[in-house]
Amino acid sequence: MSAALGGGVRTLRVPGRHGYAAEFSPYLPGRLACAAAQHYGIAGCGTLLILDQNESGLRIFRSFDWNDGLFDVTWSENNEHVLVTCSGDGSLQLWDTAGAAGPLQVYREHTQEVYSVDWSQTRGEQLVVSGSWDQTVKLWDPTVGRSLCTFRGHESVIYSTIWSPHIPGCFASASGDQTLRIWDVKTTGVRIVVPAHQAEILSCDWCKYNENLLVTGAVDCSLRGWDLRNVRQPVFELLGHTYAIRRVKFSPFHASVLASCSYDFTVRFWNFSKPNPLLETVEHHTEFTCGLDLSLQSPTQVADCAWDETIKIYDPVCLTMPA
């Protein structure tokens, strides 16, 4: 494993591990979790990497192995040491970075790959939501060994499940059935179904500044913004990626800024309120770019990971310039 700092980009190479997801800690500045898999996630084991930044680049603080590929990771919102990952074997794993042992708990209910996991950000509820290729979403309380509820309705693989940062008990899901769906834990049913693309939707995210606004990213190479008060038409469409969009994240600091990464190897930054919305294209990976996150502590810092065995933390020019 090698770390390098060049041109303001901190890079960690992890041989034999292909990155699927990267998430900054909500507590510790500079700490990053990365979920990775051997053999592009098709076979082999998975690794959860916990990274810290220092002057010389990135260093591994902890590394945990699992017997199948890890596809997503989410930090606890009430304990700085705890994370949840999800895996190709249909299980979720609860980890404690304060120790070097295996998972504290394993949740085995999904019957196929689990591609998405997210810990609720709203205070007063400690809930995790997971989305699987078995076409179900499951709701978990990490202190309980079994799921609280299963949500059915999607007609294909679920790629993305994301809690609303505004509305308690509300989450969104995106699927290969070409829909974005909004769910309410209290009613255990779907509230809104949005036929958002004529292609598989691999990612969605909520705007941090507008409780009604979400974005979807799809295999059709487009990003679309949706106002839940009127979902007949997207409120914006962002074009520029040349292959499927794998992940999209709204900025925690700028109401109309978002980032996306793609199978075209690029990460792109956008401001959907501008006539020319594409702010910057970052081309520093040589394989599918799957993981992406924007720091909650630093307004300029971004992390990504790709199938080229590298994890990168950097400050794109567009985020360091005045808007």
Side-chain angles (χ1 to χ4, degrees):
M1 298 182 187
S2 59
L5 181 62
V9 180
R10 290 175 166 87
T11 300
L12 181 75
R13 181 171 294 280
V14 189
R17 293 294 182 272
H18 302 112
Y20 266 90
E23 293 285 324
F24 281 108
S25 165
Y27 289 100
L28 301 172
R31 178 159 289 183
L32 183 76
C34 179
Q38 272 187 308
H39 308 304
Y40 308 97
I42 298 165
C45 70
T47 302
L48 169 63
L49 297 154
I50 311 299
L51 309 180
D52 285 330
Q53 300 177 59
N54 55 29
E55 291 71 27
S56 60
L58 294 175
R59 70 175 188 91
I60 295 177
F61 169 72
R62 288 265 191 270
S63 176
F64 302 98
D65 287 327
W66 186 246
N67 55 17
D68 209 320
L70 296 180
F71 295 142
D72 201 10
V73 59
T74 185
W75 289 92
S76 164
E77 292 288 338
N78 68 346
N79 184 327
E80 67 187 40
H81 303 295
V82 171
L83 311 91
V84 173
T85 52
C86 60
S87 175
D89 62 8
S91 70
L92 281 67
Q93 305 79 32
L94 183 75
W95 307 90
D96 184 353
T97 63
L104 299 176
Q105 193 151 1
V106 179
Y107 310 94
R108 301 180 188 274
E109 287 189 30
H110 284 294
T111 58
Q112 294 185 48
E113 292 94 329
V114 186
Y115 237 53
S116 177
V117 66
D118 194 37
W119 197 300
S120 175
Q121 298 171 33
T122 54
R123 298 292 169 249
E125 61 180 24
Q126 294 301 323
L127 298 172
V128 171
V129 70
S130 60
S132 170
W133 287 27
D134 67 12
Q135 304 184 15
T136 71
V137 177
K138 286 183 180 286
L139 178 72
W140 311 83
D141 176 338
T143 63
V144 178
R146 54 183 170 72
S147 66
L148 304 178
C149 183
T150 300
F151 298 83
R152 293 180 171 85
H154 276 298
E155 297 169 14
S156 183
V157 170
I158 297 167
Y159 289 109
S160 182
T161 49
I162 306 286
W163 287 103
S164 166
H166 310 280
I167 308 163
C170 177
F171 66 88
S173 60
S175 168
D177 68 11
Q178 308 181 0
T179 67
L180 169 72
R181 295 179 188 233
I182 311 301
W183 308 80
D184 186 346
V185 168
K186 292 180 287 296
T187 63
T188 67
V190 66
R191 284 178 49 206
I192 303 171
V193 179
V194 185
H197 297 259
Q198 290 182 301
E200 289 196 291
I201 308 170
L202 303 186
S203 185
C204 63
D205 196 28
W206 295 80
C207 178
K208 311 300 186 281
Y209 293 87
N210 180 345
E211 67 177 26
N212 293 302
L213 184 62
L214 291 96
V215 64
T216 51
V219 172
D220 62 10
C221 310
S222 76
L223 294 155
R224 291 179 178 172
W226 301 97
D227 186 324
L228 296 181
R229 293 165 297 189
N230 182 356
V231 297
R232 284 176 298 192
Q233 297 286 335
V235 290
F236 63 79
E237 184 174 49
L238 305 173
L239 302 174
H241 280 295
T242 56
Y243 283 93
I245 294 164
R246 182 60 180 81
R247 206 176 290 268
V248 58
K249 292 281 180 82
F250 271 107
S251 167
F253 291 97
H254 306 281
S256 57
V257 170
L258 54 89
S260 56
C261 66
S262 166
Y263 291 161
D264 66 12
F265 308 172
T266 72
V267 179
R268 294 175 195 243
F269 296 87
W270 314 81
N271 185 332
F272 64 81
S273 69
K274 291 185 178 294
N276 298 307
L278 181 60
L279 301 176
E280 186 174 346
T281 302
V282 175
E283 302 179 83
H284 58 198
H285 285 292
T286 58
E287 254 294 354
F288 287 179
T289 307
C290 293
L292 175 66
D293 199 22
L294 286 78
S295 170
L296 294 166
Q297 269 100 7
S298 165
T300 63
Q301 197 167 76
V302 176
D304 62 39
C305 62
W307 283 8
D308 59 11
E309 306 178 344
T310 67
I311 305 161
K312 295 178 185 283
I313 295 182
Y314 56 100
D315 299 88
V317 173
C318 66
L319 297 186
T320 62
M321 309 279 285

